[in-house]
Amino acid sequence: MSFTVAIVGRPNVGKSTLFNRLVGKKLALVDDTPGVTRDRRPGDARLIDLKFRIIDTAGLEEAAPETLQGRMRAQTEAAIEEADLSLFVVDAKMGLTPVDQTLAEMLRRKGKPVVLVANKSEARGSDGGFYDSYTLGLGEPTPISAEHGQGMLDLRDAIVAAIGEERAYPEDDEAVTNIDVRAELAEGAEADEDFEPEYDETKPLRVAIVGRPNAGKSTLINRFLGEDRLLTGPEAGITRDSISVEWDWKGRTIKMFDTAGMRRKAKVQEKLEKLSVADGLRAIRFAETVVIVFDSTIPFEKQDLQIVDLVLREGRAAVLAFNKWDLIDDPQAVLAELREKTDRLLPQARGIRAVPVSGQTGRGLDKLMQAVIDTDRTWNRRISTAKLNRWLDAVQTQHPPPAVSGRRLKLKYMTQVKARPPGFMISCTRPDALPESYIRYLTNGLRNDFNLPGVPIRIHFKAADNPFAGKAKKKR
């Protein structure tokens, strides 16, 4: 993207609605409640023929620095410093307020280009607010309706005029690259029963950070980044939107998603919290590896276990982070107890990687990221068909499938049909009669013998063809 734009304004003027309009997706939470947005959210915007990076921000209010509103204001000011241009959004329907005047003065002091946007201009009686906005001294306002998409051409022209055509439309000087044929080679090689593709160490990795409210998720991400990128504080439930941030860890691009704390469903009553939780669930589905953050001082609450189960049912790779480790008095004894509880309470994730960390001090962060990479490698792993069938013969010899109604079941052939997570197909006689206990035996055997800790394993059973079916028909 050639330039960056920050959307700023007081609460409830339609900044997030405009952000969603420009990125073409409902990424930011939108509600009639003022102050929904708290963190700054980046996105890739397209406005007709104009492409740029955009940042949604919290509503600017006058507040003491130590308060939640004051910390939100600091996040917005950081976005203004980062941006090349600001879209200052005012509410044409309600008219100007003293807060608008204060914000206009602050933007003038920054000395950066500003486009004044009069939103909700489609409403009856909005003309007065539109003309009042001239008094802000930021030039001619651009009337739009972010909700209905009106005035977007005028907004595009105003942005181009403010940033300059050379900056708005840089020449495309990207060099033509050779076609990457690695995927084609891998696809052809899968016909070889002994083929196992290598793990791609360079591919960007999507990681979601989830957990109960106030477990320290945002603090943990800020410590990774080395800056106060996300809003944090002692109050529970500060994060509402799922915010994505990119950073580099040992040469690999990591796209990390901070999510709102997930409480028990019975406790989630307000519409805004329901929207936040739904946004977090979308982040889990989009991610490849999910870090579930536990509060080490009160771990393994019922909600913690439900979150882990949710992540595994979604088929994501999972890593546990025992946060707030700096508050633990006897680390070795507590760690042994936590590992014992992990194995006992999470049998569906046997061998899941668990790392003690501290978002306040930075302890264990490298070990946590290494666990994330190792788990993603496991999640992407493919096992050759030859190895699987040798293993299948061995496990049946050691523990044959049970006989059902006097007829013994037989597993004939096995192959891996997918990765991410590992999925296998077994051809067998009478798959519907195979008991759950034997399926668990196969699942645990795969996890132990092929070193697949902490990832969901899917096994599908297919009825083997009866070689005598055709002959029986002919005999009749």
Side-chain angles (χ1 to χ4, degrees):
M1 298 295 170
S2 54
F3 61 96
T4 300
V5 174
I7 304 178
V8 299
R10 60 181 172 83
N12 216 32
V13 295
K15 299 184 296 300
S16 293
T17 304
L18 178 58
F19 174 86
N20 287 342
R21 172 72 59 181
L22 293 177
V23 299
K25 301 176 184 177
K26 292 183 178 180
L27 294 181
L29 298 184
V30 176
D31 192 71
D32 293 335
T33 306
V36 172
T37 303
R38 288 176 171 175
D39 284 291
R40 58 189 197 268
R41 173 192 280 275
D44 294 334
R46 186 185 184 104
L47 185 55
I48 308 175
D49 59 345
L50 200 61
K51 295 180 181 179
F52 51 94
R53 183 171 177 267
I54 195 161
I55 306 174
D56 188 22
T57 67
L60 279 168
E61 297 180 89
E62 292 292 335
E66 65 276 6
T67 63
L68 177 58
Q69 287 74 19
R71 300 197 301 275
M72 291 163 58
R73 180 186 176 94
Q75 288 284 320
T76 301
E77 290 179 348
I80 295 172
E81 291 293 341
E82 181 183 349
D84 303 295
L85 176 146
S86 294
L87 296 182
F88 180 28
V89 183
V90 297
D91 188 335
K93 182 180 178 181
M94 290 189 62
L96 298 185
T97 68
V99 175
D100 291 315
Q101 298 286 353
T102 303
L103 300 182
E105 179 61 31
M106 184 192 77
L107 290 171
R108 274 196 297 271
R109 289 198 303 268
K110 297 292 183 182
K112 292 185 176 183
V114 178
V115 172
L116 181 59
V117 180
N119 191 28
K120 307 181 185 180
S121 292
E122 83 286 0
R124 182 177 299 177
S126 62
D127 289 347
F130 171 76
Y131 289 114
D132 282 348
S133 60
Y134 277 95
T135 63
L136 294 174
L138 293 174
E140 182 178 355
T142 302
I144 70 163
S145 170
E147 184 173 359
H148 301 289
Q150 298 173 6
M152 293 299 109
L153 181 59
D154 293 335
L155 179 59
R156 170 257 194 194
D157 292 340
I159 292 175
V160 172
I163 202 72
E165 288 207 12
E166 290 186 1
R167 190 76 179 276
Y169 301 105
E171 294 184 7
D172 187 5
D173 57 356
E174 292 184 1
V176 178
T177 58
N178 294 324
I179 298 176
D180 187 356
V181 297
R182 284 178 297 179
E184 297 178 11
L185 292 174
E187 184 177 353
E190 286 183 9
D192 181 0
E193 289 197 344
D194 286 312
F195 175 74
E196 292 185 3
E198 293 184 1
Y199 178 68
D200 187 357
E201 298 277 359
T202 63
K203 185 179 70 69
L205 178 60
R206 300 190 299 269
V207 179
I209 310 294
V210 303
R212 289 186 291 113
N214 217 28
K217 300 179 294 297
S218 299
T219 302
L220 201 61
I221 295 178
N222 283 343
R223 178 62 65 174
F224 273 124
L225 301 176
E227 60 174 297
D228 292 333
R229 171 62 182 81
L230 300 171
L231 193 64
T232 61
E235 305 92 346
I238 289 179
T239 302
R240 285 175 173 169
D241 288 274
S242 294
I243 305 297
S244 66
V245 294
E246 285 192 9
W247 62 292
D248 183 88
W249 186 77
K250 295 186 178 180
R252 184 164 187 182
T253 300
I254 307 293
K255 188 167 187 178
M256 196 166 277
F257 295 84
D258 186 26
T259 63
M262 296 182 180
R263 296 197 299 165
R264 283 187 296 168
K265 190 174 182 179
K267 290 188 175 182
V268 179
Q269 302 293 337
E270 296 183 5
K271 175 188 174 184
L272 190 53
E273 186 173 0
K274 291 180 180 178
L275 292 173
S276 297
V277 172
D279 203 29
L281 294 176
R282 282 193 293 271
I284 291 175
R285 297 185 183 107
F286 183 72
E288 294 162 312
T289 301
V290 179
V291 176
I292 302 108
V293 181
F294 284 32
D295 185 338
S296 297
T297 61
I298 44 172
F300 291 109
E301 297 281 304
K302 183 178 180 181
Q303 182 66 0
D304 291 325
L305 302 178
Q306 289 179 339
I307 292 172
V308 176
D309 188 60
L310 168 67
V311 170
L312 295 176
R313 281 190 283 110
E314 289 292 339
R316 305 301 96 180
V319 175
L320 305 186
F322 293 113
N323 194 24
K324 305 185 182 180
W325 202 248
D326 53 301
L327 303 179
I328 300 300
D329 294 329
D330 190 356
Q332 291 186 344
V334 173
L335 183 58
E337 180 184 357
L338 291 178
R339 285 178 172 164
E340 183 274 328
K341 284 186 176 180
T342 301
D343 293 337
R344 176 165 50 86
L345 298 175
L346 298 171
Q348 73 275 36
R350 185 171 298 176
I352 190 171
R353 294 174 174 91
V355 183
V357 298
S358 170
Q360 290 290 346
T361 66
R363 171 179 174 167
L365 296 192
D366 278 343
K367 289 183 179 179
L368 177 60
M369 279 311 304
Q370 190 58 56
V372 167
I373 299 298
D374 292 342
T375 302
D376 183 68
R377 181 184 286 106
T378 303
W379 192 63
N380 281 274
R381 187 178 174 196
R382 282 190 173 274
I383 305 168
S384 72
T385 301
K387 286 183 180 179
L388 288 172
N389 282 284
R390 287 194 293 268
W391 174 83
L392 186 62
D393 289 340
V395 296
Q396 286 189 94
T397 301
Q398 183 178 358
H399 185 185
V404 179
S405 300
R407 296 167 58 189
R408 184 163 295 282
L409 306 177
K410 184 170 183 180
L411 311 182
K412 296 186 174 182
Y413 177 79
M414 182 176 187
T415 187
Q416 184 172 356
V417 293
K418 67 181 289 291
R420 305 162 61 88
F424 305 89
M425 188 277 293
I426 296 179
S427 176
C428 64
T429 59
R430 304 172 64 201
D432 294 339
L434 202 63
E436 284 294 327
S437 58
Y438 199 79
I439 296 175
R440 286 196 298 271
Y441 165 70
L442 294 173
T443 302
N444 292 333
L446 280 169
R447 194 182 301 281
N448 295 331
D449 296 338
F450 290 103
N451 193 23
L452 300 173
V455 299
I457 294 177
R458 309 280 194 253
I459 304 179
H460 305 280
F461 296 90
K462 177 184 176 183
D465 295 333
N466 185 351
F468 301 103
K471 295 179 181 180
K473 287 183 179 179
K474 288 180 181 179
K475 196 171 182 179
R476 290 197 194 99

